[in-house]
Amino acid sequence: MKLQGVFGPVVSTFHEGSEDLDVASFTRNLQAHVEAGLHGILVCGSTGEAALLTEDERRVLLEAARGVVPRDRVLLMGTGAESTRLTIKRCKDAKAAGADAVLVVAPHYYSSAMNLEALRGHYRAVADESPVPVLLYNIPKYMHFALPAELVAELAKHPNVVGIKDSSGDLNMLKGFLAAQSDTFTVFTGNASTFVPALAAGARGGILAVALFAPTLCLQMYDAHGIGDTAAASEHQATAKPLAGVIVAELGVPGVKTACDVVGLRGGPVRCPLVDLDEAGEQR
């Protein structure tokens, strides 16, 4: 399993009106992402509206993705839940449906109770019981706290914890996680605005929403950095920054879905309580 490169955290597609899964469009999107050259796919991440999906819908999407994503690409599944029990069940379900590894966001509804002891116990239990490798997921925007670097360093020594996705956008925080990187533990950034600086700091790749609608640009950043072409890498980074800053960070999932529509993929509607972009948002 090659944990490096540019991964796409795919959107979950729904039919207009009913909000039922549109599996055919989801599959076509996946085929386009694979053909574009993305190194890996994440199903049921934040961009995939994971929090709004049923357990059965999660399984259906992962099975559909496994039917498209070739075995030489990495297929990740988001399995984070509010209880350790459900998180472990989701990890087992992910294995059964074909995931290569799982991405686990910390429980965060009871955020004030998520101290070092609670987080350590949760992630250790998940790593012990998951039948596939585990990546940690740090996204303070939604968690309302950050995973402590010292906890990440400790968990990185667990034989079944193989990496972390850091979507904070804070390079200093990322560098704290990079101190734990090793042959068996990989750090990804989830922020395309700082993709090249993250790579320069040592990150091995990015799980980037921008890669869904601008895959070539993200691959150009990765490849230019890889061959040491700093001028090209910086130029591509400058192009990507407003895409990440406006479409992903500001307009959110509705923005990403609209951007997919614009480039000929199927974004379609979001699921309530999220709200689709208005005309002004679409024009932006």
Side-chain angles (χ1 to χ4, degrees):
M1 185 169 61
K2 297 179 180 179
L3 288 176
Q4 61 186 44
V6 179
F7 287 39
V10 296
V11 299
S12 300
T13 46
F14 307 117
H15 288 291
E16 297 277 357
S18 70
E19 294 191 355
D20 292 338
L21 286 182
D22 180 355
V23 180
S25 292
F26 179 80
T27 301
R28 286 193 294 271
N29 283 352
L30 263 291
Q31 290 170 336
H33 298 323
V34 170
E35 290 171 4
L38 297 186
H39 302 105
I41 295 294
L42 167 64
V43 177
C44 292
S46 301
T47 305
E49 297 173 76
L52 311 182
L53 300 174
T54 67
E55 300 303 306
D56 185 59
E57 288 172 331
R58 297 167 63 88
R59 176 188 56 79
V60 168
L61 291 176
L62 181 56
E63 288 179 346
R66 184 73 279 174
V68 175
V69 179
R71 290 289 175 176
D72 64 346
R73 316 283 179 95
V74 179
L75 180 57
L76 302 178
M77 177 66 169
T79 58
E82 287 304 311
S83 74
T84 305
R85 179 188 181 95
L86 180 55
T87 304
I88 293 170
K89 181 182 183 301
R90 285 180 174 177
C91 292
K92 293 178 179 178
D93 291 344
K95 166 66 173 179
D100 295 311
V102 292
L103 181 69
V104 182
V105 69
H108 47 274
Y109 184 86
Y110 298 108
S111 58
S112 62
M114 290 300 102
N115 55 30
L116 202 60
E117 179 184 5
L119 291 170
R120 179 187 292 115
H122 172 75
Y123 275 116
R124 280 183 173 174
V126 171
D128 286 345
E129 296 294 328
S130 175
V132 291
V134 172
L135 286 85
L136 314 175
Y137 185 15
N138 183 60
I139 182 164
K141 176 180 179 180
Y142 296 142
M143 290 162 45
H144 306 295
F145 62 87
L147 293 178
E150 60 268 30
L151 175 63
V152 171
E154 179 183 331
L155 294 171
K157 298 176 183 177
H158 191 290
N160 204 33
V161 176
V162 297
I164 184 171
K165 176 190 179 186
D166 172 39
S167 293
S168 68
D170 183 334
L171 287 173
N172 287 327
M173 186 176 295
L174 179 79
K175 289 175 182 176
F177 300 145
L178 282 166
Q181 188 162 253
S182 67
D183 291 342
T184 59
F185 185 81
T186 292
V187 177
F188 284 94
T189 180
N191 191 294
S193 292
T194 56
F195 186 32
V196 171
L199 292 172
R204 293 180 181 147
I207 304 175
L208 310 173
V210 171
L212 301 178
F213 54 85
T216 300
L217 178 62
C218 293
L219 290 166
Q220 286 172 331
M221 285 190 282
Y222 180 75
D223 292 340
H225 170 78
I227 63 174
D229 190 343
T230 55
S234 296
E235 181 180 348
H236 297 317
Q237 179 66 86
T239 303
K241 191 168 184 178
L243 303 183
V246 175
I247 297 174
V248 179
E250 186 177 338
L251 299 179
V253 176
V256 174
K257 283 192 156 182
T258 300
C260 288
D261 288 328
V262 168
V263 300
L265 300 175
R266 172 63 173 170
V270 293
R271 177 171 278 181
C272 289
L274 296 183
V275 178
D276 294 323
L277 296 186
D278 58 17
E279 185 176 352
E282 291 177 357
Q283 289 301 315
R284 292 194 71 193

